[in-house]
Amino acid sequence: MKFVKKIPYALKRAVFRASPALARTLGLDFRLRVPSRMFMEQEVFKYVNQQFRRATTAPAARCLFIGLDKHNWHYDRLLDLDFYSIDLNPRNAAYGPPGRHVVGSATELSSHYPPNSFDVVFANGLIGFGLDTEEAFNQLMFECHHVLASDGMLVLGYNDKPDRLSFKVEQAAGFEVFKTFEPGITGMTGARHIVEDGFRHCYVFLRPRRLGHAAGQMDLVAAA
C-alpha cells in the first residue's frame, strides 16, 4: 500500500512498540533497500514460493529463518510457507511470528527442533556477525542438516570478504554434508551468486547429503 510506504520510520517504530500485531496488520516493515536484501526478497523468495506452492490436499511446507530482527521481520509475509524463526537475542522475539519463534542459537537447532522439521532453512548474514569461526560454521551446517528434510533446501548467505570471513566456506567440513545445486533463478549460472556491491554478499543453494554414522562420527556416504 502506498499509504504504508509513506509512513515515517519513527511513526512505524512507535506503532510497533505499541502493538506488533497492529503493525503486522498494517503491513509495516523496516526493510533495508540494499542490493543483497532485494535479491533475497525478490528473486530468492520468488523461487522458493514456486518450488513449494501450497496444495489444498497436503500440509504447507515449513521454513526456518535463522536470525530475525526488525529489518527482516516482514519475511513471513513474503514467503508462502509456514514460517518459523530463531534468534539468540531475547529482545528480537518481538519480531518473530507468534508461537513459532524460538530464542536460541543457530549452533543448537537440534535442541529445539526434531529431525526433518523443515523444507527450507535460510541462514543468511550469520557468518562474520557473531558466528565467526570455522568450528562454529561447521556446527551451524551440521545442525541445519539435522532439521532439514532429506529433499530440503538450505539457502546460505554471507559476505565473501576477508574482514568478515576467516576461512574457506567450500572447504569446511560442515559444507561437505551438503551438495550444491543450481536454482532456476534468472541471472544465475551455477549454485553460487555474488551480489557485486561493496559487501560482495554471496548466496549458495544447497541440498542435504545422506549421512551415516560410523564409530560415532558422521561420515559421507553419498556423493553429489
Side-chain angles (χ1 to χ4, degrees):
M1 294 183 293
K2 292 182 179 180
F3 159 73
V4 171
K5 292 182 179 179
K6 293 181 179 179
I7 297 178
Y9 183 88
L11 181 56
K12 290 181 183 180
R13 292 289 292 143
V15 172
F16 181 86
R17 284 193 293 269
S19 172
L22 176 59
R24 184 182 297 274
T25 299
L26 292 174
L28 300 184
D29 62 57
F30 310 96
R31 68 183 66 194
L32 295 174
R33 300 185 186 280
V34 297
S36 62
R37 295 293 182 109
M38 293 173 66
F39 181 80
M40 168 76 87
E41 296 178 15
Q42 296 173 8
E43 303 301 333
V44 176
F45 288 173
K46 177 183 177 181
Y47 169 75
V48 170
N49 285 336
Q50 290 172 341
Q51 298 301 302
F52 297 96
R53 290 189 187 279
R54 291 181 183 268
T56 56
T57 58
R62 292 158 53 108
C63 72
L64 174 66
F65 204 93
I66 305 174
L68 199 72
D69 60 21
K70 64 177 177 291
H71 296 303
N72 57 17
W73 87 298
H74 62 287
Y75 282 5
D76 67 329
R77 288 169 262 162
L78 302 181
L79 284 160
D80 191 27
L81 294 84
D82 285 346
F83 187 94
Y84 293 75
S85 57
I86 184 170
D87 193 277
L88 189 60
N89 188 343
R91 295 179 61 182
N92 287 340
Y95 301 105
R100 294 182 177 180
H101 181 81
V102 167
V103 177
S105 171
T107 60
E108 298 177 348
L109 299 181
S110 58
S111 298
H112 305 287
Y113 310 105
N116 308 310
S117 290
F118 301 103
D119 300 284
V120 187
V121 172
F122 295 93
N124 184 51
L126 305 176
I127 306 171
F129 294 90
L131 196 148
D132 303 328
T133 66
E134 185 172 353
E135 180 182 8
F137 171 74
N138 288 337
Q139 189 61 34
L140 164 71
M141 298 296 278
F142 292 141
E143 293 292 301
C144 287
H145 190 283
H146 175 86
V147 302
L148 269 171
S150 58
D151 58 349
M153 176 195 314
L154 171 63
V155 181
L156 178 67
Y158 57 93
N159 287 3
D160 192 13
K161 294 181 63 180
D163 62 332
R164 290 295 180 187
L165 191 61
S166 61
F167 58 93
K168 296 290 187 182
V169 168
E170 292 84 355
Q171 297 176 9
F175 196 85
E176 291 300 315
V177 301
F178 287 88
K179 52 188 176 183
T180 61
F181 74 97
E182 180 178 343
I185 295 179
T186 302
M188 283 193 63
T189 55
R192 195 168 181 264
H193 177 76
I194 293 181
V195 179
E196 292 294 354
D197 59 8
F199 302 104
R200 281 187 56 82
H201 199 74
C202 176
Y203 290 101
V204 185
F205 293 80
L206 303 150
R207 295 199 188 280
R209 296 180 189 267
R210 288 183 300 163
L211 299 179
H213 291 79
Q217 300 293 323
M218 290 199 303
D219 296 324
L220 207 58
V221 296

